Amino acid sequence: MNRPTSITLVAVILVAAVAVPLAAATVAPTGGAQEETADEAGNDSIAPGEQFAAAVGVQNAELEGDVSERAFSVRFASAETNETKAAVIATEVNESRQRLAELESRLATLNESRETGEISEGHYRAEVATAVAEMRSIERRTAAAETAAAEVPDRALADNDVDAEAIGQLRARAGDLGGPETAAIARSIAGDDVGRSIGTDRGPGGPVDAPGEGRAGGPGDGNETATEPTAD
């Protein structure tokens, strides 16, 4: 296959990959008549290019979130001591906290720009959808960190400035998604499952299994051995 043909094929695949979830998001149901009316009015103001940008931004946030989750899972499973495990958790939590603060600041700036008319309604809604998708990713990452922290002795966590309660608070803060109005705007653009995990073998918020860990209950739950088929 020559180079021009390869480039054309890649372009077609990319457009098709974005078009499917974009169509699904367009018909996604909303929670009530009043909310549906507001969402439809907002979507009417979104240009095709802005809708396309929103779809791409949301998909990128979902993909990057999955990559980050799996990277954390591998790092944690590879850590050989409680101290190194705690250090891995600390790094993950600190990165998530910093990124969440940046997203919250970004949403505040977007709200201000919207009120002053510096950006269009369509641009605003597209940017909000992407930010909310990334917040959902942070919620999953902190949930995984919270699960991992439960396996590490308190002393090792304390030595690395890891506070399990603070992790839970960070997870809840990310799960707020910038408030109900912001979350509703994101759903109107990208559907009810905005920010979902790309993987289909686990539900939203579920920790990613590290290599060698059982899916049934996660690391250290005592259920790592699979149930063998029994004779009839």
Side-chain angles (χ1 to χ4, degrees):
M1 183 181 293
N2 58 39
R3 183 176 180 83
T5 303
S6 300
I7 294 175
T8 302
L9 179 58
V10 170
V12 170
I13 293 173
L14 288 176
V15 171
V18 173
V20 172
L22 181 58
T26 303
V27 299
T30 51
Q34 183 175 357
E35 181 180 346
E36 183 176 359
T37 301
D39 289 342
E40 288 175 352
N43 284 338
D44 287 343
S45 65
I46 300 178
E50 293 168 334
Q51 184 95 22
F52 183 84
V56 172
V58 168
Q59 283 193 335
N60 284 342
E62 292 168 350
L63 179 59
E64 291 174 4
D66 272 12
V67 171
S68 296
E69 286 181 77
R70 295 182 187 281
F72 165 72
S73 184
V74 170
R75 290 196 304 271
F76 182 78
S78 301
E80 297 180 351
T81 68
N82 288 324
E83 286 295 329
T84 54
K85 288 180 182 294
V88 168
I89 295 171
T91 299
E92 179 74 0
V93 171
N94 289 336
E95 289 179 354
S96 295
R97 181 181 292 110
Q98 178 179 351
R99 184 54 184 157
L100 181 58
E102 292 171 354
L103 289 169
E104 290 171 338
S105 176
R106 179 180 171 189
L107 285 175
T109 300
L110 285 170
N111 287 331
E112 183 178 348
S113 297
R114 178 199 197 188
E115 292 174 359
T116 59
E118 294 179 13
I119 59 175
S120 68
E121 179 68 17
H123 184 177
Y124 168 78
R125 295 171 78 87
E127 291 287 340
V128 164
T130 301
V132 167
E134 192 168 348
M135 283 182 165
R136 181 72 75 189
S137 168
I138 293 174
E139 181 187 16
R140 294 199 308 271
R141 290 175 61 182
T142 50
E146 191 175 21
T147 299
E151 303 175 26
V152 180
D154 292 341
R155 182 171 181 177
L157 294 175
D159 288 345
N160 286 272
D161 297 323
V162 175
D163 184 341
E165 183 176 351
I167 298 176
Q169 293 172 350
L170 181 63
R171 173 178 52 76
R173 184 173 138 202
D176 184 58
L177 303 179
E181 180 182 358
T182 298
I185 289 174
R187 287 194 299 270
S188 75
I189 297 294
D192 290 340
D193 56 355
V194 57
R196 72 196 184 285
S197 168
I198 297 297
T200 58
D201 57 349
R202 64 190 178 92
V208 178
D209 295 320
E213 293 176 356
R215 286 196 177 279
D221 67 346
N223 295 324
E224 286 80 357
T225 56
T227 303
E228 298 181 358
T230 56
D232 292 333

